[in-house]
Amino acid sequence: QVQLVESGGGLVQPGGSLRLSCAASGNIVIVNHMAWYRQAPGEQREFVAGVFNEGITNYADSVKGRFTISRDNAKNTVYLQMNSLKPEDTAVYICNVLVYDGSRTFNYYGQGTQVTVSS
């Protein structure tokens, strides 16, 4: 089993910044991929950004140039630095990790942290 602890959400004005964190712990040999998704009310969950163990990153077009994903492999933690936030970024942000436990690979999602962008 793997546990995910997310933090960093909150209320911010348009143009502001927030930094999300997600720490994974438990039966982990390696975390192959770490990512953030988001889900706004009435909308489907969408991919925001992801980072492989080697550091290769990818982003949704809607956040390119504003959001930066990074990870600390020693801490099994992924971060999402969000700058120039817009009201349309308002959503529950959900951490996702792809974990290898030594025998199998598992996909886990966190509970989510609320991000609200409003004046």
Side-chain angles (χ1 to χ4, degrees):
Q1 270 289 20
V2 170
Q3 295 76 44
L4 300 176
V5 177
E6 299 154 313
S7 62
L11 172 64
V12 64
Q13 292 186 343
S17 298
L18 281 176
R19 188 189 193 214
L20 306 182
S21 300
C22 173
S25 62
N27 191 17
I28 299 171
V29 171
I30 189 169
V31 183
N32 292 315
H33 188 256
M34 308 184 87
W36 289 94
Y37 287 76
R38 67 186 181 187
Q39 188 165 17
E43 302 289 334
Q44 289 193 340
R45 184 177 296 183
E46 64 173 356
F47 173 80
V48 176
V51 56
F52 287 93
N53 185 49
E54 303 83 0
I56 298 172
T57 59
N58 57 326
Y59 297 90
D61 287 343
S62 58
V63 306
K64 280 181 182 177
R66 301 188 298 122
F67 291 10
T68 302
I69 191 169
S70 61
R71 61 187 285 172
D72 183 334
N73 289 337
K75 297 180 180 179
N76 288 328
T77 299
V78 62
Y79 306 96
L80 186 68
Q81 178 66 44
M82 305 184 293
N83 298 328
S84 302
L85 283 160
K86 306 174 181 180
E88 51 263 44
D89 294 318
T90 296
V92 175
Y93 283 70
I94 303 158
C95 177
N96 169 250
V97 297
L98 191 63
V99 171
Y100 177 67
D101 70 357
S103 60
R104 294 176 59 186
T105 298
F106 294 90
N107 199 27
Y108 293 96
Y109 287 91
Q111 294 295 312
T113 183
Q114 178 69 46
V115 171
T116 302
V117 185
S118 174
S119 55

